[in-house]
């Protein structure tokens, strides 16, 4: 099969790191800022960053409706940290005018683990990802407080005060994590997303 073309929403956040990780597992990875660029991709990553800022920029760059339409049509999307918030149907502790793509039937709490000073790293075992627990980096991260019946829980924090909290989910072609795999050099999650895109194409 042809190399999957995967865009990284390049409005704000750790775009270069995701592009590098996707390229590292064999995808044609490119930044996406305009509707015409979105038309050219098979899948999309919504990176970590600041979810309220991304929400505003999505409207300024006229990307909301095109992304909503592609999600409804089955385009695979992976959201990390702020990207998870952007994919959630409901956000707690968000700004009043904050709007995401509402693709995943889940409720997430923004900055649930605390402020930047409360950032931490922890092992997370992910269903469907071989090779042992994932070394997860959490930076002002959300967690998932509720999932709908069609949402598969892929990973939870296993130790510490947040033990048991849901930090990785999948619903159909939509994948979301609270943590930042693009910052660790562990490409297993990006590889599984590329396989998801291949299967959907």
């Amino acid at each position: 099969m042809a190399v999957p073309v995967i865009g990284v929403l390049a409005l704000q956040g750790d775009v270069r790191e995701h592009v590098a990780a996707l390229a590292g597992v064999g995808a044609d990875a490119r930044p996406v800022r305009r509707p015409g660029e979105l038309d050219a991709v098979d899948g999309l990553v919504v990176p970590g960053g600041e979810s309220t800022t991304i929400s505003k920029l999505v409207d300024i760059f006229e990307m909301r409706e095109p992304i909503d339409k592609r999600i409804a049509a089955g385009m695979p999307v992976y959201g990390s940290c702020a990207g998870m918030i952007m994919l959630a149907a409901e956000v707690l502790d968000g700004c009043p005018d904050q709007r995401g793509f509402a693709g995943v039937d889940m409720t997430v709490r923004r900055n649930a683990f605390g402020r930047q000073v409360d950032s931490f790293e922890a092992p997370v075992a992910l269903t469907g990802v071989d090779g042992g627990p994932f070394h997860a980096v959490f930076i002002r991260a959300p967690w998932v407080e509720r999932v709908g019946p069609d949402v598969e829980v892929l990973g939870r924090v296993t130790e510490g005060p947040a033990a048991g909290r849901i930090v990785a989910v999948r619903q159909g072609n939509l994948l979301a994590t609270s943590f930042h795999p693009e910052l660790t050099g562990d490409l297993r999650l990006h590889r599984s997303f590329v396989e998801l895109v291949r299967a959907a194409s």
Side-chain angles (χ1 to χ4, degrees):
M1 181 202 157
V3 173
V5 180
I6 301 180
V8 180
L9 187 63
L11 304 180
Q12 195 255 349
D14 45 357
V15 176
R16 281 179 306 181
E17 293 87 347
H18 274 294
V19 168
L22 290 163
V25 293
D28 176 352
R30 51 184 77 167
V32 168
R33 290 183 191 85
R34 301 286 180 188
E37 295 167 341
L38 182 70
D39 292 341
V41 304
D42 304 310
L44 184 69
V45 171
V46 182
E50 219 298 308
S51 60
T52 52
T53 303
I54 294 172
S55 173
K56 288 179 181 133
L57 291 172
V58 161
D59 289 323
I60 291 168
F61 282 81
E62 299 180 342
M63 290 292 286
R64 185 176 301 281
E65 187 181 0
I67 292 173
D68 282 342
K69 282 183 174 171
R70 289 294 305 276
I71 288 174
M75 175 181 69
V77 180
Y78 167 48
S80 68
C81 197
M84 171 184 258
I85 295 168
M86 290 297 293
L87 286 175
E90 183 184 16
V91 178
L92 304 176
D93 294 340
C95 292
D97 58 346
Q98 184 173 347
R99 286 171 50 225
F101 306 120
V104 179
D105 182 10
M106 64 179 172
T107 301
V108 301
R109 185 172 295 280
R110 192 168 158 266
N111 293 350
F113 290 101
R115 297 160 301 143
Q116 195 116 10
V117 296
D118 302 315
S119 301
F120 69 102
E121 301 176 21
V124 175
L126 292 177
T127 302
V129 178
D130 296 331
F134 208 92
H135 182 76
V137 176
F138 296 88
I139 303 170
R140 284 190 0 226
W143 64 44
V144 180
E145 299 218 338
R146 177 199 64 85
V147 294
D150 298 325
V151 178
E152 180 185 4
V153 174
L154 300 180
R156 297 175 185 266
V157 176
T158 54
E159 55 189 52
R165 290 293 184 182
I166 299 169
V167 292
V169 298
R170 177 180 172 183
Q171 181 174 352
N173 285 336
L174 305 178
L175 176 69
T177 64
S178 301
F179 52 89
H180 290 266
E182 72 283 3
L183 300 181
T184 63
D186 185 336
L187 301 181
R188 288 178 292 160
L189 208 50
H190 287 86
R191 187 174 290 113
S192 63
F193 181 63
V194 170
E195 292 309 316
L196 179 64
V197 174
R198 272 207 180 95
S201 296

